[in-house]
Amino acid sequence: MITQFLAASQPVPAGPVVQWGWLTITVANLVVILLMVVVFVLALLLPFPAPREDEVQ
């Protein structure tokens, strides 16, 4: 019973890691961060849709 608990509490391997100077980050986290930056930039650059003529007061 205790050996099962100890085996289940072992950390899961993080996967591939990118190291750049002092920065160490997993590839999965880097992809998520880059996608969030892309969505943020698109939200800033893309115009809001114009209201339709029948909605203008």
Side-chain angles (χ1 to χ4, degrees):
M1 175 86 158
I2 291 180
T3 57
Q4 290 175 343
F5 174 74
L6 292 175
S9 66
Q10 296 298 318
V12 177
V17 175
V18 175
Q19 291 181 338
W20 185 24
W22 56 269
L23 180 66
T24 302
I25 188 167
T26 62
V27 172
N29 284 341
L30 184 61
V31 168
V32 169
I33 291 169
L34 291 175
L35 287 175
M36 288 191 311
V37 169
V38 167
V39 169
F40 179 74
V41 169
L42 287 175
L44 289 176
L45 296 178
L46 293 177
F48 286 106
R52 295 187 306 198
E53 301 235 356
D54 58 347
E55 292 178 356
V56 177
Q57 296 180 2

